[in-house]
Amino acid sequence: MSDALLATYDAVLFDLDGTVYHGSRVIPGAQETVRAAREHGTPVRFVTNNASKAPGEVVDHLTGLGMPADAGEVHTSAQAGVQLLKDRLEPGAEVLVVGTESLAAEVAGAGLKPVRENGDGVRAVVQGHSPDNTWAALAEACLAIRAGALWVACNVDATLPSERGLLPGNGSMVAALRTATDVEPLVAGKPQPLLFETAAKSAGAEHPLVVGDRLDTDIAGAVAAGIDSLVVLSGVATPQQLIEAIPAERATYLAEDLTALTEPGDDLKIGPRPGWSITTENGVLEAAGDGDALDLLRALCHTAWETGVTGLGGDAESRLARA
């Protein structure tokens, strides 16, 4: 375990949806991996852009999946969003809530007044994911925003991984309001660095590792916070997205899923890999050699990021397809 990736960092900051679970279905090996981190003495934090559940509800969900946790280990975009409101509003200010009752409770807990309808007293709108968000709720928010209310989006994930596949996320609803108001919200969650910085501080970590499945939130947030990251293929990210990743969305390590945390870190790094030779010919990436399939992707990413060539030649494409 001493050479395991998790052993080289002083905390592991896990994304949840698509990284630890898909809705009610745990990702195989997640319980054992989280347990291994705890047994090693590496603090763990659960950092989620999903604002639909309070920390206690997240704890209940994790515990039900075989991963005991406590509320102090959970950091949500709802908490981050409400902190932005608290920093900008007078105590008792009315906040129009588009989201779950747990989000409204966060607002109330910050000394602000949650409401569900627009009115002259509304000073801000906070928007978080809820499966019960309706057109009527968006309409109230639209009126408030167009009247000048501060607009805070807990997160802007376009999709939400579930056991059934990708579903519309809060970002899709945010996009509807953006279109209707011509206003850009303040974004509280990932890819802003606040959630990761707060989680790392709570763990007393100076050298944490982020584990996530989305380039535009998890990995971008880690890059923004100056934190190393492991991108996993158990959720949203695809091989082609990884190859085409912009500098602000490039991970340090790559693995199939979070169970790789118990493997040596050097084996997971994105970079030149044993057994594979990557060249750029005729403006595309070509692969020669033989070896581990994920090592091929790590090597392809490295060359693509170094050269700017992201197209796959026929041989590279077929090898990756067989991976």
Side-chain angles (χ1 to χ4, degrees), residues 98-159:
V98 181
T100 61
E101 286 304 315
S102 65
L103 176 56
E106 287 280 354
V107 171
L112 303 168
K113 182 181 179 181
V115 299
R116 292 291 186 172
E117 294 182 356
N118 183 43
D120 292 340
V122 171
R123 295 291 174 263
V125 173
V126 62
Q127 184 175 5
H129 171 71
S130 169
D132 298 320
N133 280 342
T134 63
W135 179 91
L138 293 180
E140 294 299 316
C142 179
L143 292 170
I145 295 165
R146 292 184 71 88
L150 172 69
W151 180 23
V152 172
C154 292
N155 72 296
V156 289
D157 298 46
T159 57

Side-chain angles (χ1 to χ4, degrees), residues 26 39 51 79 112 148 161 201 210 217 226 241 251 301 303:
V26 69
E39 291 175 351
Q79 293 171 305
L112 303 168
K201 183 177 180 180
V210 167
T217 56
Q241 288 176 348
C301 287
T303 301

Side-chain angles (χ1 to χ4, degrees), residues 31 172 184 275 283:
Q31 302 103 317
S172 295
E184 285 291 330

Side-chain angles (χ1 to χ4, degrees), residues 153-244:
C154 292
N155 72 296
V156 289
D157 298 46
T159 57
L160 178 69
S162 78
E163 60 271 29
R164 297 177 61 197
L166 293 179
L167 303 177
N170 193 53
S172 295
M173 299 296 188
V174 168
L177 275 181
R178 187 187 292 117
T179 299
T181 63
D182 289 325
V183 174
E184 285 291 330
L186 286 176
V187 179
K190 302 173 280 188
Q192 300 302 314
L194 177 62
L195 269 177
F196 287 138
E197 292 171 346
T198 302
K201 183 177 180 180
S202 79
E206 296 182 354
H207 187 47
L209 176 72
V210 167
V211 183
D213 70 297
R214 297 187 72 113
L215 300 184
D216 58 347
T217 56
D218 303 322
I219 306 309
V223 172
I227 299 174
D228 286 354
S229 60
L230 167 67
V231 62
V232 292
L233 297 174
S234 54
V236 173
T238 66
Q240 191 61 46
Q241 288 176 348
L242 292 169
I243 290 168
E244 297 175 353

